[in-house]
Amino acid sequence: MREILGDIDRWRAQHKRIAVARVVDIEGSGPRDPGAAMAVNEDGEVCGSVSGGCVEGAVVAEALEILKNDSPGRLVKFGYSDDEAFAVGLTCGGVVHLFIQPLSW
Amino acid sequence: MIYPTLADRIRKNKPVALLTVIDGPNLGATLLTSPNVENIGTLGDQELDRVSSRDALGELEAGRTSVRNYGPSGQVTPEDLQDTPVVRVFVESFSPPPQMLIFGAVDFTAALARVAKVLGYYVVVCDAREVFATHRRFPMADEVLVTWPTPVLTERGPDLGARDAICILTHDPKFDVPAIQGALATSVGYIGVMGSRKTHAKRLERLAEVGVTKSQDLARLMSPIGLDIGSRTPEETAISICAEIIGKRVGRNVPSLANSEGPIHK
């Protein structure tokens, strides 16, 4: 969170709606520890990261969906499995649990 | 508002924990807690707030970030959690950054301070010579102190712990002997001392003269400083020092120069 405060402050000053995604748990090998965070504003601008670049694209889509639907937040899991081999996942074989919510607090 | 207070405390390096309901009733609710100040926000139930923020302060002290499960009114025992929805709370700890104290304002200092900043350290550079210990030479350092090691370590030593590091880069016995003595009196996780194997041997003699002879004390000194990766430039040396700090912190068996033999530069 520390490294994305500057961008979030700038977006808040511009009255942009913002969603924050945070790693809350990892199973097995994961690129970033719990607490890793990224933020997405209503225009789709991004700061921070929650993986080694593997799932950020999907997080942006999810975050924009959450902002659009005024959802209170959602737990999202990204991992690797055979039937998801070509879907979004972590190449390192781990599973990452993210909580994505609007920054309404 | 929680976010502005959170951002302010993070920036001022004050310990703070952010609690968020990530599953269960009041999804997305947040609570902010810090030692000795009132909580801000709520997870939707007073008792849940009380119990979870108490737990969060413990997590904060340990520097841990984790998910904890409660009943809707803060129940924690397995019997109380039967037949009730579970509230999963993400407790995110923001501890002040680890500190690196660098003694000696030399060329290696600037490179080490730069790499330490990349790793998130609060960096303090200390040297008694005011022409060398200047902000202009070390703009990346959080503090530049013109003073001797003893007062600095007397004042700040009690706050140093396993996550912190002391790097003694001066080769001057007037300076490095008191710095090592002061460092050994702290619980700092890493003490690195620069110098060739010959310098280290001579330094051990001088330390013995002032009574520093205990093997468990001398074993804490990583000297020559850094990993045996054949680093040459100040920047490469800085990387080798920081890699050694990471390896020591997580308890890995890394190839430290202090544990090897032969020339440092090949």
Side-chain angles (χ1 to χ4, degrees), chain A residues 29-50:
Chain A
S29 164
R32 300 289 307 270
D33 283 335
M38 67 182 269
V40 179
N41 75 13
E42 60 187 66
D43 302 330
E45 280 183 75
V46 177
C47 62
S49 82
V50 290

mmCIF file of all heavy atoms in Angstrom, chain A residues 29-50:
data_model
loop_
_atom_site.group_PDB
_atom_site.id
_atom_site.type_symbol
_atom_site.label_atom_id
_atom_site.label_comp_id
_atom_site.label_asym_id
_atom_site.label_seq_id
_atom_site.Cartn_x
_atom_site.Cartn_y
_atom_site.Cartn_z
ATOM 1 N N SER A 29 3.578 -21.443 -3.908
ATOM 2 C CA SER A 29 4.486 -20.402 -4.355
ATOM 3 C C SER A 29 3.699 -19.222 -4.908
ATOM 4 O O SER A 29 2.860 -19.384 -5.780
ATOM 5 C CB SER A 29 5.390 -21.005 -5.438
ATOM 6 O OG SER A 29 6.013 -19.980 -6.142
ATOM 7 N N GLY A 30 3.936 -18.057 -4.377
ATOM 8 C CA GLY A 30 3.260 -16.865 -4.883
ATOM 9 C C GLY A 30 4.267 -15.758 -5.015
ATOM 10 O O GLY A 30 5.187 -15.669 -4.204
ATOM 11 N N PRO A 31 4.117 -14.925 -6.010
ATOM 12 C CA PRO A 31 5.132 -13.888 -6.241
ATOM 13 C C PRO A 31 5.099 -12.767 -5.218
ATOM 14 O O PRO A 31 6.119 -12.150 -4.936
ATOM 15 C CB PRO A 31 4.808 -13.361 -7.632
ATOM 16 C CG PRO A 31 3.382 -13.721 -7.862
ATOM 17 C CD PRO A 31 3.079 -14.930 -7.040
ATOM 18 N N ARG A 32 3.911 -12.477 -4.655
ATOM 19 C CA ARG A 32 3.830 -11.357 -3.709
ATOM 20 C C ARG A 32 3.139 -11.814 -2.440
ATOM 21 O O ARG A 32 2.200 -12.607 -2.471
ATOM 22 C CB ARG A 32 3.042 -10.187 -4.320
ATOM 23 C CG ARG A 32 3.644 -9.602 -5.604
ATOM 24 C CD ARG A 32 4.920 -8.814 -5.380
ATOM 25 N NE ARG A 32 4.786 -7.762 -4.371
ATOM 26 C CZ ARG A 32 4.427 -6.521 -4.642
ATOM 27 N NH1 ARG A 32 4.147 -6.161 -5.866
ATOM 28 N NH2 ARG A 32 4.336 -5.624 -3.680
ATOM 29 N N ASP A 33 3.573 -11.295 -1.311
ATOM 30 C CA ASP A 33 3.019 -11.687 -0.021
ATOM 31 C C ASP A 33 1.691 -10.970 0.252
ATOM 32 O O ASP A 33 1.395 -9.960 -0.379
ATOM 33 C CB ASP A 33 4.012 -11.328 1.091
ATOM 34 C CG ASP A 33 5.158 -12.319 1.152
ATOM 35 O OD1 ASP A 33 4.957 -13.467 0.715
ATOM 36 O OD2 ASP A 33 6.242 -11.931 1.628
ATOM 37 N N PRO A 34 0.920 -11.486 1.235
ATOM 38 C CA PRO A 34 -0.276 -10.769 1.656
ATOM 39 C C PRO A 34 0.055 -9.313 1.977
ATOM 40 O O PRO A 34 1.080 -9.024 2.592
ATOM 41 C CB PRO A 34 -0.715 -11.528 2.906
ATOM 42 C CG PRO A 34 -0.266 -12.922 2.664
ATOM 43 C CD PRO A 34 1.046 -12.787 1.922
ATOM 44 N N GLY A 35 -0.817 -8.419 1.538
ATOM 45 C CA GLY A 35 -0.570 -6.995 1.728
ATOM 46 C C GLY A 35 -0.179 -6.308 0.431
ATOM 47 O O GLY A 35 -0.363 -5.098 0.291
ATOM 48 N N ALA A 36 0.348 -7.076 -0.535
ATOM 49 C CA ALA A 36 0.674 -6.465 -1.831
ATOM 50 C C ALA A 36 -0.610 -5.871 -2.403
ATOM 51 O O ALA A 36 -1.677 -6.481 -2.317
ATOM 52 C CB ALA A 36 1.255 -7.503 -2.780
ATOM 53 N N ALA A 37 -0.504 -4.674 -2.953
ATOM 54 C CA ALA A 37 -1.728 -3.980 -3.356
ATOM 55 C C ALA A 37 -1.579 -3.293 -4.703
ATOM 56 O O ALA A 37 -0.493 -2.875 -5.091
ATOM 57 C CB ALA A 37 -2.091 -2.937 -2.292
ATOM 58 N N MET A 38 -2.693 -3.227 -5.408
ATOM 59 C CA MET A 38 -2.755 -2.364 -6.582
ATOM 60 C C MET A 38 -4.082 -1.622 -6.539
ATOM 61 O O MET A 38 -5.015 -2.031 -5.850
ATOM 62 C CB MET A 38 -2.593 -3.159 -7.879
ATOM 63 C CG MET A 38 -3.691 -4.113 -8.233
ATOM 64 S SD MET A 38 -3.331 -5.042 -9.780
ATOM 65 C CE MET A 38 -4.072 -3.977 -11.008
ATOM 66 N N ALA A 39 -4.126 -0.505 -7.245
ATOM 67 C CA ALA A 39 -5.349 0.271 -7.292
ATOM 68 C C ALA A 39 -5.669 0.576 -8.748
ATOM 69 O O ALA A 39 -4.773 0.667 -9.597
ATOM 70 C CB ALA A 39 -5.192 1.561 -6.492
ATOM 71 N N VAL A 40 -6.961 0.676 -9.021
ATOM 72 C CA VAL A 40 -7.451 0.932 -10.379
ATOM 73 C C VAL A 40 -8.457 2.069 -10.267
ATOM 74 O O VAL A 40 -9.329 2.026 -9.402
ATOM 75 C CB VAL A 40 -8.156 -0.326 -10.938
ATOM 76 C CG1 VAL A 40 -8.685 -0.071 -12.343
ATOM 77 C CG2 VAL A 40 -7.224 -1.528 -10.912
ATOM 78 N N ASN A 41 -8.341 3.090 -11.118
ATOM 79 C CA ASN A 41 -9.366 4.133 -11.060
ATOM 80 C C ASN A 41 -10.406 3.917 -12.153
ATOM 81 O O ASN A 41 -10.276 3.021 -12.981
ATOM 82 C CB ASN A 41 -8.748 5.537 -11.068
ATOM 83 C CG ASN A 41 -8.231 5.948 -12.446
ATOM 84 O OD1 ASN A 41 -8.525 5.299 -13.457
ATOM 85 N ND2 ASN A 41 -7.455 7.015 -12.486
ATOM 86 N N GLU A 42 -11.434 4.737 -12.123
ATOM 87 C CA GLU A 42 -12.575 4.519 -13.027
ATOM 88 C C GLU A 42 -12.182 4.604 -14.496
ATOM 89 O O GLU A 42 -12.888 4.061 -15.357
ATOM 90 C CB GLU A 42 -13.683 5.533 -12.713
ATOM 91 C CG GLU A 42 -13.227 6.978 -12.878
ATOM 92 C CD GLU A 42 -14.277 7.972 -12.402
ATOM 93 O OE1 GLU A 42 -14.555 7.991 -11.195
ATOM 94 O OE2 GLU A 42 -14.835 8.706 -13.241
ATOM 95 N N ASP A 43 -11.063 5.259 -14.789
ATOM 96 C CA ASP A 43 -10.604 5.342 -16.177
ATOM 97 C C ASP A 43 -9.735 4.156 -16.569
ATOM 98 O O ASP A 43 -9.233 4.103 -17.695
ATOM 99 C CB ASP A 43 -9.783 6.626 -16.389
ATOM 100 C CG ASP A 43 -10.589 7.869 -16.044
ATOM 101 O OD1 ASP A 43 -11.825 7.818 -16.208
ATOM 102 O OD2 ASP A 43 -9.984 8.867 -15.607
ATOM 103 N N GLY A 44 -9.529 3.242 -15.627
ATOM 104 C CA GLY A 44 -8.712 2.069 -15.937
ATOM 105 C C GLY A 44 -7.228 2.298 -15.729
ATOM 106 O O GLY A 44 -6.407 1.469 -16.107
ATOM 107 N N GLU A 45 -6.869 3.437 -15.122
ATOM 108 C CA GLU A 45 -5.452 3.649 -14.792
ATOM 109 C C GLU A 45 -5.080 2.779 -13.598
ATOM 110 O O GLU A 45 -5.892 2.566 -12.703
ATOM 111 C CB GLU A 45 -5.204 5.112 -14.420
ATOM 112 C CG GLU A 45 -5.084 6.041 -15.596
ATOM 113 C CD GLU A 45 -4.777 7.454 -15.130
ATOM 114 O OE1 GLU A 45 -3.618 7.693 -14.746
ATOM 115 O OE2 GLU A 45 -5.697 8.284 -15.116
ATOM 116 N N VAL A 46 -3.828 2.319 -13.582
ATOM 117 C CA VAL A 46 -3.408 1.320 -12.601
ATOM 118 C C VAL A 46 -2.154 1.781 -11.872
ATOM 119 O O VAL A 46 -1.279 2.417 -12.464
ATOM 120 C CB VAL A 46 -3.092 -0.016 -13.328
ATOM 121 C CG1 VAL A 46 -2.587 -1.059 -12.342
ATOM 122 C CG2 VAL A 46 -4.324 -0.535 -14.060
ATOM 123 N N CYS A 47 -2.062 1.465 -10.571
ATOM 124 C CA CYS A 47 -0.783 1.600 -9.875
ATOM 125 C C CYS A 47 -0.604 0.387 -8.973
ATOM 126 O O CYS A 47 -1.578 -0.248 -8.580
ATOM 127 C CB CYS A 47 -0.716 2.896 -9.082
ATOM 128 S SG CYS A 47 -1.946 3.045 -7.781
ATOM 129 N N GLY A 48 0.638 0.058 -8.672
ATOM 130 C CA GLY A 48 0.938 -1.083 -7.807
ATOM 131 C C GLY A 48 0.801 -2.403 -8.546
ATOM 132 O O GLY A 48 0.532 -2.442 -9.753
ATOM 133 N N SER A 49 1.015 -3.506 -7.809
ATOM 134 C CA SER A 49 0.877 -4.827 -8.423
ATOM 135 C C SER A 49 0.606 -5.868 -7.354
ATOM 136 O O SER A 49 0.900 -5.672 -6.178
ATOM 137 C CB SER A 49 2.129 -5.196 -9.212
ATOM 138 O OG SER A 49 3.118 -5.701 -8.340
ATOM 139 N N VAL A 50 0.009 -6.994 -7.776
ATOM 140 C CA VAL A 50 -0.332 -8.057 -6.833
ATOM 141 C C VAL A 50 0.272 -9.400 -7.221
ATOM 142 O O VAL A 50 0.061 -10.407 -6.553
ATOM 143 C CB VAL A 50 -1.869 -8.214 -6.701
ATOM 144 C CG1 VAL A 50 -2.459 -7.027 -5.968
ATOM 145 C CG2 VAL A 50 -2.519 -8.396 -8.068
#
